[in-house]
Amino acid sequence: MLLLIGPFKHKTPTIKALATLLLNLSSARSLSHSTSIPTKQQRVRDHGYDNYMEIEKKTRKVLKFQDLILSQPNQTVPVSRLDLLARRLGFKQHESGAFVLKFPHVFDIYEHPVQRILYIRLSRKALLQIEQEKQALDAQIPDAVIRLRKLVMMSSTGRIRLEHVRIARKEFGLPDDFEYSVILKYPQYFRLFDAKETRNKYIAIVERDESLAVCAIEKSREREYREKGIDAEDIRFSFIVNFPPGFKIGKYYRIAVWKWQRVPYWSPYEDVSGYDLRSLEAQKRMEKRAVAAIQELLSLTVEKKITLERIAHFRLAMNLPKRLKEFLLQHQGIFYISTRGNQGKLHTVFLREAYKRGDLIEPNDLYLARRMLADLVLLSPRKANVDRELVNYRRDREDHETGRFRTEFVDDDFHNSAVEDNVGKDREGEDNLDSDMGSDTGSDFLDENDDCLETLDAEDIHVAESELKPVA
């Protein structure tokens, strides 16, 4: 701009004043643009969340195998049929066997005692994990009812499609039969009906409970205000922001975030149909309301995460923007999008404030039960081999000691009987005394031998029962 104005600087002052005005306008425009949050940003990776998804990728495959084994008769699968059945799960030829061998703490390979055929079944630890997850799921049904009520209350139309909730039922901690065990079981809260225009089933609440219309972020603000003493004006409409490592925060970007934190917005539970949404101020409030809606949606999940594609199912009901991925990348300090664990087909959205070093800050029983399976998957196969060798060594040692006790008993019994015969022949006057001592000694050995035989029989019966369990 100065080069263009340079040849005319000694002419009329009107051109000089015009040049100054243009410079001021351009600088003001760049300043105003730099103090607004950029709409398009590159995603900065956070390896803590990506590693979490890599572990979940393995557990997702393990769950498919578990469902396959549990669906079979006697909950066992012959090794000869494993490759054929695993192709239905997307495994290639000869890939399923190698996959099962990687997780000996989850899958147990044994030989049938009668048929002499190798079978695969779930290990004792895996069955215990399934039972604990089932118990945790049943125990938190009252909390799941509250979560579903809050989810329906966030809808602008007062209803949510049943199919969309069914797809995301695991994230919200709902059982597979939630239509009967939750919705129809609590008619005082929910109403299930068919829409006339689409003939799809929808969930609606019978009556709004305003005590439930409180967002999780509002409780966090109140806690920070009371504990840390932050200024009420700064925290009134703010969100907890934790940028990922390596995220570049410039001076003007920091100012833009500070301004955005102070922008007021409407609650996700508030009805905005009566407001005029055409003004610039209303659009800013609706944009921040969308952030609050997604933040509340993630807070209602069990693990504080859900796929981006399942959030899109609630887009129309919650007035969310169309380009959700770009919208969430604009707020990387609140959300994190991971493409790991789904072969790039799905995007998992995490609530950053709920996690610390790859774990939930406030875990629940259902989350802990699900993490038990991840712990079994991460256990080294070498540890399983060492445990198996220790068990076999203990059994061999017990068998060896049992055989030694039997040999000592036979030798001692024969030696005592021989001594008694010699004493009876040489000392006739002391015959009764020696015979009584011999009988007492023999009875002591017999008692110990009986106990040993009873223990041995119990062990043999226990081993036989454990081997015959797969047949039953």
Side-chain angles (χ1 to χ4, degrees), residues 40 43 75 88-89 96 120 148 174 211 247 268 329 363 404 408 411 415 421 423:
K40 293 184 179 180
R43 182 170 61 90
Q75 298 181 354
R88 304 174 186 176
L89 305 178
S96 58
I120 298 177
L148 186 57
L174 296 171
S211 63
F247 187 84
L329 288 178
R404 183 172 58 83
E408 291 178 356
D411 295 340
H415 177 71
D421 293 340
V423 171

Side-chain angles (χ1 to χ4, degrees), residues 10 20 31 56 68 107 119 146 185-187 261 300 331 342 439 449 462 472:
H10 296 293
T20 305
L31 182 62
E56 189 170 289
L68 176 64
F107 305 104
Y119 278 83
I146 296 177
K185 188 177 179 180
Y186 296 92
Q261 291 275 48
L300 294 178
H331 304 279
N342 299 296
S439 61
N449 186 50
H462 178 68

Side-chain angles (χ1 to χ4, degrees), residues 1 4-5 15-29:
M1 184 68 72
L4 293 175
I5 302 301
I15 298 178
K16 184 177 181 180
L18 181 61
T20 305
L21 179 62
L22 291 175
L23 286 174
N24 293 333
L25 289 175
S26 62
S27 61
R29 183 179 302 173

